[in-house]
Amino acid sequence: RASPAGSTIASLLLMLSFAVLGASTALLAGASAPAGANGVVRPRAAVLLAEAAATTDEQKASGISWDSHQYVDQAPESLIRDDDLQGANQDMRRRFEENCRRAQNAICKAVSELDGAEFREDVWTRPGGGGGISRVLCNGNVFEKAGCSLSVVYGSMPQDALQSATSRGADRAKGYAPGERVPFFACGLSSVMHPRNPMAPTMHFNYRYFETDGGVWWFGGGSDITPAYLFEEDIAHFHQTYKDVCDTHDPEYYARFKKWADEYFTIKHRGETRGLGGIFFDDQNDRDPEAIFAFSKECLDSVVPAYLPLVAKHKDDSFTQQQKEWQLMRRGRYVEFNLVYDRGTVFGLKTGGRIESILMSLPETARWEYSHEPAAGSPEAEIMDAFKTPREWAK
């Protein structure tokens, strides 16, 4: 059996494996990349190095990079810069940031009260505007790791890169000539909570607002739950909380956003979902922005009542070493999804975001067992069925 690995080992090994697998296979087999414009055939390793250099060049062009942030002792009153751009919704930008900061304070306070430990806070700014406030609780009494981070980003991206982040083909490059870079603004609050006890579920949420300098705007977000063991009443509570919120704003929201979450959080190479879903939405600009802002606000306000009672219920449950190992294997699946498929991770890496904030979602410990299959009729097999066949949880 493999032994549990610390976050540094687990995350780095997986990241490196995905990054260099193609290169190592090609080199061992003597393979080369296709010929370039000059007809010269380059080894695969050279191609990867060229891609890495292109990524660095892209970060420079975007105006932000891995090391462009500056740490400050105290968060400024606002991370929003004063723009006089025609079409920029400065009022929405400021109110969305204010709401994210309010929610961050409330959620971190509730988590600290349950855990008994405090969050570490890091604050940074960028010369071109924006910055972030990251709060992480590590090695707590209830949570192995809990993070809640605010980000405000000003940058620019190529049109194809910006378009790749969309779910339904929204025209994010409106107002720009083909090939022209698109300046953008983004503000969001993201969180992942990893409890110690395998009977208590992991939870993730992210709510965000985007604008381009061309006047295109949209909202995105969602909350989802990832248990290692199935307690049907817990999952029903989480889903029902968000269905009630959805129904208040649009009776069609929950069915659409629940299905979207089931599809989005699928680990395609495993043929299973990361967890048991919740709601997920993106590219929302089909109605008054005030209406979508109000929906996002109520979703954020529902994080604590939807999730923390479940952790409080199970934080002191007894469990075996085998059950702990199963939790760590499910965390391994969490890592796979986040590093391979998660749109926010990809966006952060492409735009040169702060690495500690981008990878905050990863658990401190995870586990991979070779060709592991749960025993038939076991609690592990029961929840695997739910991961492979999404169910309806809310009434």
PDB file of all heavy atoms in Angstrom, residues 66-81:
ATOM      1  N   TRP A  66       3.824  35.668 -12.132  1.00  0.00           N
ATOM      2  CA  TRP A  66       3.900  34.968 -10.858  1.00  0.00           C
ATOM      3  C   TRP A  66       4.405  35.858  -9.723  1.00  0.00           C
ATOM      4  O   TRP A  66       3.963  35.713  -8.573  1.00  0.00           O
ATOM      5  CB  TRP A  66       4.854  33.762 -10.960  1.00  0.00           C
ATOM      6  CG  TRP A  66       4.711  32.931 -12.190  1.00  0.00           C
ATOM      7  CD1 TRP A  66       5.651  32.720 -13.159  1.00  0.00           C
ATOM      8  CD2 TRP A  66       3.568  32.172 -12.594  1.00  0.00           C
ATOM      9  NE1 TRP A  66       5.164  31.885 -14.142  1.00  0.00           N
ATOM     10  CE2 TRP A  66       3.895  31.531 -13.815  1.00  0.00           C
ATOM     11  CE3 TRP A  66       2.299  31.978 -12.049  1.00  0.00           C
ATOM     12  CZ2 TRP A  66       2.994  30.706 -14.486  1.00  0.00           C
ATOM     13  CZ3 TRP A  66       1.416  31.156 -12.711  1.00  0.00           C
ATOM     14  CH2 TRP A  66       1.758  30.531 -13.909  1.00  0.00           C
ATOM     15  N   ASP A  67       5.361  36.743 -10.040  1.00  0.00           N
ATOM     16  CA  ASP A  67       6.015  37.514  -8.977  1.00  0.00           C
ATOM     17  C   ASP A  67       5.705  39.011  -9.049  1.00  0.00           C
ATOM     18  O   ASP A  67       6.457  39.831  -8.521  1.00  0.00           O
ATOM     19  CB  ASP A  67       7.536  37.308  -9.037  1.00  0.00           C
ATOM     20  CG  ASP A  67       8.128  37.676 -10.392  1.00  0.00           C
ATOM     21  OD1 ASP A  67       7.345  38.013 -11.308  1.00  0.00           O
ATOM     22  OD2 ASP A  67       9.364  37.610 -10.537  1.00  0.00           O
ATOM     23  N   SER A  68       4.592  39.384  -9.684  1.00  0.00           N
ATOM     24  CA  SER A  68       4.292  40.815  -9.815  1.00  0.00           C
ATOM     25  C   SER A  68       3.492  41.354  -8.634  1.00  0.00           C
ATOM     26  O   SER A  68       3.171  42.536  -8.598  1.00  0.00           O
ATOM     27  CB  SER A  68       3.526  41.081 -11.124  1.00  0.00           C
ATOM     28  OG  SER A  68       2.255  40.447 -11.091  1.00  0.00           O
ATOM     29  N   HIS A  69       3.139  40.493  -7.671  1.00  0.00           N
ATOM     30  CA  HIS A  69       2.381  40.973  -6.517  1.00  0.00           C
ATOM     31  C   HIS A  69       3.326  41.505  -5.438  1.00  0.00           C
ATOM     32  O   HIS A  69       4.483  41.084  -5.329  1.00  0.00           O
ATOM     33  CB  HIS A  69       1.500  39.852  -5.947  1.00  0.00           C
ATOM     34  CG  HIS A  69       2.247  38.616  -5.566  1.00  0.00           C
ATOM     35  ND1 HIS A  69       2.537  37.615  -6.471  1.00  0.00           N
ATOM     36  CD2 HIS A  69       2.766  38.224  -4.388  1.00  0.00           C
ATOM     37  CE1 HIS A  69       3.197  36.659  -5.859  1.00  0.00           C
ATOM     38  NE2 HIS A  69       3.362  36.993  -4.595  1.00  0.00           N
ATOM     39  N   GLN A  70       2.819  42.423  -4.650  1.00  0.00           N
ATOM     40  CA  GLN A  70       3.588  43.026  -3.556  1.00  0.00           C
ATOM     41  C   GLN A  70       2.796  42.843  -2.259  1.00  0.00           C
ATOM     42  O   GLN A  70       1.639  43.245  -2.173  1.00  0.00           O
ATOM     43  CB  GLN A  70       3.820  44.522  -3.821  1.00  0.00           C
ATOM     44  CG  GLN A  70       4.571  44.805  -5.113  1.00  0.00           C
ATOM     45  CD  GLN A  70       4.597  46.296  -5.450  1.00  0.00           C
ATOM     46  OE1 GLN A  70       3.852  47.094  -4.888  1.00  0.00           O
ATOM     47  NE2 GLN A  70       5.474  46.671  -6.380  1.00  0.00           N
ATOM     48  N   TYR A  71       3.414  42.219  -1.259  1.00  0.00           N
ATOM     49  CA  TYR A  71       2.733  41.993   0.009  1.00  0.00           C
ATOM     50  C   TYR A  71       2.619  43.291   0.795  1.00  0.00           C
ATOM     51  O   TYR A  71       3.539  44.121   0.799  1.00  0.00           O
ATOM     52  CB  TYR A  71       3.480  40.950   0.847  1.00  0.00           C
ATOM     53  CG  TYR A  71       3.379  39.557   0.276  1.00  0.00           C
ATOM     54  CD1 TYR A  71       4.438  38.997  -0.432  1.00  0.00           C
ATOM     55  CD2 TYR A  71       2.214  38.808   0.433  1.00  0.00           C
ATOM     56  CE1 TYR A  71       4.345  37.727  -0.961  1.00  0.00           C
ATOM     57  CE2 TYR A  71       2.112  37.537  -0.099  1.00  0.00           C
ATOM     58  CZ  TYR A  71       3.173  37.003  -0.797  1.00  0.00           C
ATOM     59  OH  TYR A  71       3.071  35.740  -1.326  1.00  0.00           O
ATOM     60  N   VAL A  72       1.470  43.474   1.424  1.00  0.00           N
ATOM     61  CA  VAL A  72       1.244  44.650   2.259  1.00  0.00           C
ATOM     62  C   VAL A  72       0.756  44.175   3.624  1.00  0.00           C
ATOM     63  O   VAL A  72       0.224  43.064   3.769  1.00  0.00           O
ATOM     64  CB  VAL A  72       0.215  45.614   1.624  1.00  0.00           C
ATOM     65  CG1 VAL A  72       0.769  46.198   0.330  1.00  0.00           C
ATOM     66  CG2 VAL A  72      -1.106  44.909   1.357  1.00  0.00           C
ATOM     67  N   ASP A  73       0.955  44.994   4.639  1.00  0.00           N
ATOM     68  CA  ASP A  73       0.613  44.608   6.004  1.00  0.00           C
ATOM     69  C   ASP A  73      -0.886  44.627   6.265  1.00  0.00           C
ATOM     70  O   ASP A  73      -1.393  43.860   7.088  1.00  0.00           O
ATOM     71  CB  ASP A  73       1.312  45.532   7.010  1.00  0.00           C
ATOM     72  CG  ASP A  73       2.830  45.359   6.983  1.00  0.00           C
ATOM     73  OD1 ASP A  73       3.289  44.249   6.649  1.00  0.00           O
ATOM     74  OD2 ASP A  73       3.544  46.337   7.280  1.00  0.00           O
ATOM     75  N   GLN A  74      -1.582  45.495   5.568  1.00  0.00           N
ATOM     76  CA  GLN A  74      -3.015  45.653   5.818  1.00  0.00           C
ATOM     77  C   GLN A  74      -3.753  45.844   4.501  1.00  0.00           C
ATOM     78  O   GLN A  74      -3.257  46.506   3.592  1.00  0.00           O
ATOM     79  CB  GLN A  74      -3.264  46.862   6.726  1.00  0.00           C
ATOM     80  CG  GLN A  74      -4.702  47.005   7.191  1.00  0.00           C
ATOM     81  CD  GLN A  74      -4.843  48.116   8.225  1.00  0.00           C
ATOM     82  OE1 GLN A  74      -3.860  48.725   8.630  1.00  0.00           O
ATOM     83  NE2 GLN A  74      -6.067  48.372   8.646  1.00  0.00           N
ATOM     84  N   ALA A  75      -4.929  45.247   4.408  1.00  0.00           N
ATOM     85  CA  ALA A  75      -5.708  45.364   3.176  1.00  0.00           C
ATOM     86  C   ALA A  75      -6.165  46.797   2.971  1.00  0.00           C
ATOM     87  O   ALA A  75      -6.667  47.441   3.903  1.00  0.00           O
ATOM     88  CB  ALA A  75      -6.921  44.435   3.234  1.00  0.00           C
ATOM     89  N   PRO A  76      -6.002  47.332   1.748  1.00  0.00           N
ATOM     90  CA  PRO A  76      -6.527  48.669   1.475  1.00  0.00           C
ATOM     91  C   PRO A  76      -8.046  48.650   1.534  1.00  0.00           C
ATOM     92  O   PRO A  76      -8.678  47.590   1.504  1.00  0.00           O
ATOM     93  CB  PRO A  76      -6.021  48.972   0.062  1.00  0.00           C
ATOM     94  CG  PRO A  76      -5.769  47.633  -0.546  1.00  0.00           C
ATOM     95  CD  PRO A  76      -5.363  46.732   0.568  1.00  0.00           C
ATOM     96  N   GLU A  77      -8.640  49.810   1.614  1.00  0.00           N
ATOM     97  CA  GLU A  77     -10.096  49.900   1.697  1.00  0.00           C
ATOM     98  C   GLU A  77     -10.763  49.219   0.511  1.00  0.00           C
ATOM     99  O   GLU A  77     -11.824  48.606   0.636  1.00  0.00           O
ATOM    100  CB  GLU A  77     -10.524  51.360   1.782  1.00  0.00           C
ATOM    101  CG  GLU A  77     -12.022  51.557   1.956  1.00  0.00           C
ATOM    102  CD  GLU A  77     -12.401  53.010   2.153  1.00  0.00           C
ATOM    103  OE1 GLU A  77     -11.519  53.814   2.526  1.00  0.00           O
ATOM    104  OE2 GLU A  77     -13.587  53.343   1.933  1.00  0.00           O
ATOM    105  N   SER A  78     -10.126  49.314  -0.662  1.00  0.00           N
ATOM    106  CA  SER A  78     -10.629  48.643  -1.850  1.00  0.00           C
ATOM    107  C   SER A  78      -9.450  48.284  -2.741  1.00  0.00           C
ATOM    108  O   SER A  78      -8.438  48.991  -2.774  1.00  0.00           O
ATOM    109  CB  SER A  78     -11.609  49.538  -2.618  1.00  0.00           C
ATOM    110  OG  SER A  78     -12.008  48.920  -3.829  1.00  0.00           O
ATOM    111  N   LEU A  79      -9.586  47.142  -3.454  1.00  0.00           N
ATOM    112  CA  LEU A  79      -8.574  46.736  -4.422  1.00  0.00           C
ATOM    113  C   LEU A  79      -8.967  47.153  -5.836  1.00  0.00           C
ATOM    114  O   LEU A  79      -8.257  46.865  -6.790  1.00  0.00           O
ATOM    115  CB  LEU A  79      -8.385  45.213  -4.371  1.00  0.00           C
ATOM    116  CG  LEU A  79      -7.772  44.680  -3.067  1.00  0.00           C
ATOM    117  CD1 LEU A  79      -7.946  43.164  -2.978  1.00  0.00           C
ATOM    118  CD2 LEU A  79      -6.299  45.049  -2.971  1.00  0.00           C
ATOM    119  N   ILE A  80     -10.105  47.851  -5.961  1.00  0.00           N
ATOM    120  CA  ILE A  80     -10.588  48.322  -7.262  1.00  0.00           C
ATOM    121  C   ILE A  80      -9.918  49.644  -7.592  1.00  0.00           C
ATOM    122  O   ILE A  80      -9.879  50.559  -6.774  1.00  0.00           O
ATOM    123  CB  ILE A  80     -12.119  48.518  -7.248  1.00  0.00           C
ATOM    124  CG1 ILE A  80     -12.817  47.259  -6.750  1.00  0.00           C
ATOM    125  CG2 ILE A  80     -12.611  48.919  -8.636  1.00  0.00           C
ATOM    126  CD1 ILE A  80     -12.661  46.056  -7.626  1.00  0.00           C
ATOM    127  N   ARG A  81      -9.368  49.729  -8.797  1.00  0.00           N
ATOM    128  CA  ARG A  81      -8.744  50.998  -9.200  1.00  0.00           C
ATOM    129  C   ARG A  81      -9.796  51.907  -9.841  1.00  0.00           C
ATOM    130  O   ARG A  81     -10.853  51.447 -10.293  1.00  0.00           O
ATOM    131  CB  ARG A  81      -7.601  50.739 -10.171  1.00  0.00           C
ATOM    132  CG  ARG A  81      -8.033  50.277 -11.545  1.00  0.00           C
ATOM    133  CD  ARG A  81      -6.849  49.843 -12.400  1.00  0.00           C
ATOM    134  NE  ARG A  81      -7.270  49.564 -13.774  1.00  0.00           N
ATOM    135  CZ  ARG A  81      -6.526  48.899 -14.655  1.00  0.00           C
ATOM    136  NH1 ARG A  81      -5.329  48.441 -14.300  1.00  0.00           N
ATOM    137  NH2 ARG A  81      -6.974  48.698 -15.888  1.00  0.00           N
TER     138      ARG A  81
END
